[in-house]
Amino acid sequence: MDYRAVKSQFRQTGKITLEDSRGQVFEWLSPGRHSTGSTGVFLIHELYQLQALVGSFSEVALDIVEFSPDKVIFHSPPAIGPKNGMNSTGLIKFALIKSPFWHRLLFELRETVVLQWVENTEEAPHSGEEPFPLQAKGSKAMELHADGKVKIINS
């Protein structure tokens, strides 16, 4: 994958369509340029990005995020500010991506992106060399609050 081409397209359009090695097709959107509704999952590549999404987290909550597997989607109350991406319970969804290939791509984009699954199976212009750690169905989910309160939604 040509990281520069992907980065250039993302900067121009605020959107890229990707396909992983298992054939899952998904889009990464710039949160400021697209309305994501309740279906988007914010993808981060570093823990410091959490502050913009959910405010200050306790050390316990940060450790839970840092040491959890890639397959976990967290549901947390948002930081004060724009509420784009909130679901019906008033929580936002986010995931820390640690898989080397996808982590590097997120790092190259230099911002938090929003993941949305694509229903139609048109061929994606960019193909990944590895499976994407999250799945459209079957990902693990946890509710996590800034004080470290945890609720397992599905495992």
Side-chain angles (χ1 to χ4, degrees):
M1 176 179 291
D2 182 3
Y3 290 107
R4 282 187 275 168
V6 172
K7 183 178 178 177
S8 175
Q9 178 186 349
F10 189 75
R11 294 278 180 245
Q12 290 174 359
T13 65
K15 172 178 148 179
I16 51 175
T17 303
L18 301 159
E19 181 177 7
D20 73 356
S21 62
R22 291 181 291 208
Q24 289 188 111
V25 179
F26 49 91
E27 293 179 331
W28 286 0
L29 309 167
S30 177
R33 296 174 87 180
H34 296 278
S35 171
T36 59
S38 63
T39 60
V41 177
F42 289 94
L43 301 180
I44 59 173
H45 64 278
E46 298 290 340
L47 282 178
Y48 73 85
Q49 294 175 298
L50 275 180
Q51 188 167 10
L53 291 175
V54 296
S56 296
F57 259 29
S58 69
E59 289 297 319
V60 171
L62 289 174
D63 285 348
I64 290 170
V65 173
E66 183 176 12
F67 295 112
S68 67
D70 270 0
K71 297 175 176 153
V72 177
I73 297 174
F74 293 96
H75 299 241
S76 294
I80 297 171
K83 304 295 191 239
N84 285 348
M86 273 196 339
N87 64 26
S88 61
T89 62
L91 304 174
I92 61 167
K93 298 180 227 174
F94 72 89
L96 175 64
I97 302 300
K98 296 175 251 178
S99 173
F101 176 82
W102 299 103
H103 180 270
R104 178 172 178 210
L105 183 55
L106 280 170
F107 180 79
E108 291 289 331
L109 295 179
R110 304 261 193 250
E111 68 178 88
T112 302
V113 301
V114 178
L115 164 73
Q116 286 195 324
W117 300 103
V118 176
E119 294 297 324
N120 58 9
T121 57
E122 293 177 16
E123 187 174 320
H126 304 287
S127 295
E129 302 158 4
E130 295 179 7
F132 189 66
L134 301 176
Q135 297 177 8
K137 295 180 175 139
S139 290
K140 299 177 182 188
M142 296 174 73
E143 187 175 318
L144 181 64
H145 294 262
D147 61 0
K149 177 181 147 191
V150 176
K151 176 182 176 186
I152 297 174
I153 298 171
N154 68 355
S155 57

